Amino acid sequence: MVPEPLTSIEGARQGVGKDERPFQVLLVDDEVAILESLELTLAEDYTVFAVDNGLDGLEILENEEIDLVIVDQVMPEMTGVEFLEKVIEIRPSCVRMMLTGYADINMVVRAINEGRIYRYIQKPWEPDELRLDVKRALEAYRLNAENAQLTAALAQANEQLRAENIYLRREVERQYAFDQIIGASPAMQRVFDVMEKVAQTDATVLLSGETGTGKDLVARAIHYAGERKEHRFVAQNCGALPDTLLESELFGHKRGAFTGAHQDKKGLFEVADGGTIFLDEVGETEPGMQVRLLRVLQDGEIRPLGSSDTRRVDVRIIAATNRDLRNEVKEGRFREDLYYRLRVVEVTIPPLRERREDIPTLAHHFLDITNERMGRNLAGFTNAAMDRLTAHAWSGNVRELENEIQRAIALAGDEETISESMLSEHLRAESPREPAGASPSLLKERDLNRAVDALKRSMIAHAIEEAGSKTRAAERLGIPRQSLQKMMKRLEMD
Ligand SMILES: Nc1ncnc2c1ncn2[C@@H]1O[C@H](COP(=O)(O)OP(=O)(O)OP(=O)(O)O)[C@@H](O)[C@H]1O
Ligand SMILES: [Mg+2]
């Protein structure tokens, strides 16, 4: 049976714990007179439980949230120190105080030193002093508890942040994984082979390729497939800034290095320490910048603008250019030594028109992505539309194709597929339908079905023009009228 508290005055302000519950104090003493007097001293401020033996005391500890214990050292069944050992087991955070006579002092001091007792109260005690002692002890206790709670909350928040961070990083990694780069053509397969090998090394890579061929994508994929993926990938377009600004972006500056430099600033080489820096449009850099880049590549050192110290950095460099750098060297616009330092491994991404077999897969890839992004549900392309896409020259390469498909979807009404008429004017204006059977452009066409379709279109158009009606055109072409009609529908001819 759990003994009832002898007195309980709830809510006395100074005795209230941080969760608005009054502090609960347990008194254990075999001498009832002492017990009563202790209780009188404390009952005004706290909820007091008073018992005259250790066993009852333990039962209360098990069932009540006791914040502070005062126990007498000398009791018949269990000494105060033994009782407090149990308190430590049951409620480790509970404040422990001991009542003692003069004779027990040495033993109690040892218990205090060993951390088992918060403090001792020597008999006889001053009620006011005791009240103050208990109050201080409980304040410290509350602060401790709050601290522990805040520490736990902080640890939890940290853990959550860490989890989110890992999640976000996975997302980014997923986004730039090799399998997000489309390309079944032999030309792209060769690119992937080199990428895979080079990703496992720290070798400097030079990516070349026309605009929109995917240099950015490939640079990120190399970073995220390698050991440096836990560190930053930073990109800087070297063609976008005047020389001094670019220098400050890449290498940082000291305060006052130039007008407007109000504070020290870290350069991207330092930001990317341990990771990868992507120097886009490296062919656009001016001679001074080329010298500075050469120094990083040779010595792994940078010097912030306006500073006299150099700093070591551990950064993997991937550079990209849509110029023919070899030619730039020949023309004296690009340093030869820098060129050779950059092209330790050179990856050339072929223009889209040289890998037309990738166009249908890319088109469907962008259809899926854009459907999702725009909340649409277009199912695919008509044959004629796909013919147009595969035949186009794509001077803007994959980016232009991506834009074309986004445009078609954005402008689509309730169509279910992308048809020829939804493509932009300049695509439709080109003519794989030119009259004359085996035109030179047709002979270059590698896809047999498309070539045959184009030939059919041009023969049908001719026949109708010359014969004046579909019926007579069908006769000339040697096929039934209905077949002609079906064929024209499939070929999207009006
Ligand atoms: N093989 C590919 N598979 C899927 N998406 C691609 C592929 N190549 C390029 N893209 C997409 O095409 C767009 C252009 O690619 P990216 O920005 O990497 O080209 P770039 O070579 O860096 O062009 P620029 O020289 O103009 O900077 C991006 O949206 C990219 O995701
Ligand atoms: Mg780019």
Side-chain angles (χ1 to χ4, degrees):
M1 196 201 84
V2 181
E4 287 294 306
L6 299 179
T7 323
S8 138
I9 299 170
E10 303 235 332
R13 198 62 216 176
Q14 65 160 313
V16 170
K18 63 152 196 8
D19 47 0
E20 299 299 307
R21 151 182 88 72
F23 280 124
Q24 309 210 102
V25 175
L26 171 63
L27 309 172
V28 188
D29 197 322
D30 59 323
E31 285 178 61
V32 177
I34 292 190
L35 208 54
E36 277 176 357
S37 122
L38 274 177
E39 208 194 336
L40 272 177
T41 311
L42 299 173
E44 200 178 313
D45 298 328
Y46 311 107
T47 304
V48 176
F49 298 79
V51 292
D52 63 5
N53 67 84
L55 287 179
D56 282 352
L58 291 179
E59 202 173 339
I60 290 182
L61 267 178
E62 297 274 10
N63 294 297
E64 300 288 336
E65 295 201 20
I66 299 298
D67 304 300
L68 181 138
V69 176
I70 300 177
V71 63
D72 188 23
Q73 162 60 0
V74 186
M75 295 188 297
E77 284 143 3
M78 194 186 281
T79 67
V81 168
E82 281 166 350
F83 181 79
L84 290 182
E85 296 291 343
K86 302 272 186 208
V87 176
I88 291 174
E89 274 172 39
I90 301 170
R91 292 184 63 82
S93 63
C94 186
V95 183
R96 299 172 296 274
M97 295 179 128
M98 176 98 91
L99 277 176
T100 132
Y102 184 72
D104 316 313
I105 278 290
N106 284 340
M107 186 273 317
V108 171
V109 167
R110 204 171 65 229
I112 288 180
N113 287 343
E114 288 167 6
R116 282 172 290 168
I117 302 178
Y118 173 72
R119 69 188 310 156
Y120 66 90
I121 302 157
Q122 203 166 345
K123 292 190 249 187
W125 64 87
E126 269 299 322
D128 282 345
E129 220 169 285
L130 176 66
R131 256 190 231 114
L132 198 62
D133 273 353
V134 167
K135 184 171 172 241
R136 288 210 186 111
L138 283 170
E139 260 161 23
Y141 167 83
R142 183 182 57 200
L143 282 178
N144 249 337
E146 270 175 14
N147 233 336
Q149 216 167 40
L150 289 175
T151 308
L154 196 64
Q156 199 189 351
N158 268 335
E159 183 48 39
Q160 201 172 337
L161 268 180
R162 211 177 61 82
E164 273 170 26
N165 198 5
I166 289 175
Y167 170 77
L168 286 176
R169 187 177 290 159
R170 295 248 161 85
E171 275 293 287
V172 172
E173 278 168 28
R174 204 174 53 75
Q175 199 176 338
Y176 294 113
F178 281 19
D179 62 15
Q180 292 300 299
I181 308 180
I182 310 286
S185 58
M188 282 307 284
Q189 289 297 315
R190 279 194 293 277
V191 169
F192 289 141
D193 280 349
V194 180
M195 282 172 68
E196 251 163 74
K197 287 192 192 116
V198 86
Q200 305 310 320
T201 73
D202 269 348
T204 304
V205 179
L206 178 64
L207 300 173
S208 53
E210 291 179 12
T211 178
T213 44
K215 298 185 292 296
D216 209 278
L217 198 61
V218 167
R220 285 169 203 271
I222 291 175
H223 170 77
Y224 285 106
E227 303 262 309
R228 293 176 172 264
K229 68 175 178 192
E230 305 294 326
H231 298 273
R232 310 265 302 257
F233 174 94
V234 296
Q236 175 62 46
N237 184 334
C238 301
L241 295 175
D243 215 30
T244 313
L245 267 187
L246 179 62
E247 183 177 355
S248 137
E249 278 303 306
L250 292 178
F251 303 114
H253 63 242
K254 297 290 285 179
R255 197 178 134 184
F258 50 88
T259 21
H262 297 302
Q263 271 157 349
D264 287 5
K265 185 182 147 185
K266 252 192 191 182
L268 292 178
F269 271 101
E270 274 184 271
V271 172
D273 205 10
T276 304
I277 194 165
F278 178 46
L279 302 173
D280 207 358
E281 317 271 4
V282 76
E284 314 293 316
T285 47
E286 290 176 29
M289 179 53 66
Q290 292 177 19
V291 174
R292 279 175 221 116
L293 289 177
L294 187 64
R295 191 176 309 140
V296 192
L297 280 158
Q298 278 172 341
D299 311 330
E301 281 182 352
I302 56 145
R303 192 162 58 81
L305 251 167
S307 163
S308 49
D309 318 323
T310 54
R311 293 181 199 167
R312 290 208 71 75
V313 286
D314 165 29
V315 176
R316 197 250 179 95
I317 296 178
I318 302 181
T321 177
N322 49 30
R323 295 194 185 184
D324 179 355
L325 266 200
R326 194 188 300 268
N327 195 47
E328 296 294 297
V329 170
K330 213 180 290 165
E331 304 277 319
R333 283 191 294 267
F334 201 82
R335 291 183 68 104
E336 187 169 20
D337 43 9
L338 179 57
Y339 172 63
Y340 285 113
R341 285 274 176 182
L342 287 176
R343 50 147 286 179
V344 176
V345 177
E346 182 162 13
V347 179
T348 305
I349 309 176
L352 191 54
R353 64 185 167 282
E354 284 176 19
R355 45 180 165 116
R356 288 183 196 271
E357 58 266 55
D358 288 339
I359 292 176
T361 329
L362 279 166
H364 279 105
H365 172 71
F366 293 129
L367 179 77
D368 291 344
I369 294 179
T370 313
N371 264 336
E372 170 120 19
R373 199 176 294 155
M374 297 188 184
R376 300 296 310 259
N377 197 20
L378 282 99
F381 303 84
T382 63
N383 287 332
M386 190 54 88
D387 284 349
R388 289 292 186 185
L389 294 178
T390 38
H392 184 61
W394 301 114
S395 55
N397 293 291
V398 183
R399 183 181 294 114
E400 188 189 352
L401 174 62
E402 182 176 16
N403 291 344
E404 181 64 34
I405 286 158
Q406 285 174 352
R407 176 188 170 280
I409 296 176
L411 298 182
D414 49 9
E415 289 94 342
E416 283 171 6
T417 48
I418 296 182
S419 66
E420 215 180 353
S421 62
M422 294 159 74
L423 300 178
S424 42
E425 188 60 43
H426 70 283
L427 268 141
R428 280 182 286 137
E430 289 165 352
S431 48
R433 293 182 186 193
E434 62 210 2
S439 69
S441 73
L442 200 54
L443 286 176
K444 271 194 244 141
E445 189 57 77
R446 276 186 274 166
D447 183 317
L448 186 61
N449 286 331
R450 266 203 316 274
V452 171
D453 279 354
L455 182 61
K456 280 181 182 164
R457 274 196 205 97
S458 105
M459 286 179 70
I460 292 169
H462 258 278
I464 293 177
E465 205 176 284
E466 278 177 11
S469 81
K470 281 184 194 166
T471 315
R472 270 193 302 221
E475 264 169 33
R476 277 193 184 203
L477 293 165
I479 53 173
R481 200 195 119 87
Q482 270 143 338
S483 305
L484 177 65
Q485 219 134 20
K486 261 194 216 152
M487 201 181 288
M488 288 180 70
K489 195 160 175 227
R490 184 180 70 74
L491 296 170
E492 291 181 42
M493 299 179 70
D494 302 322

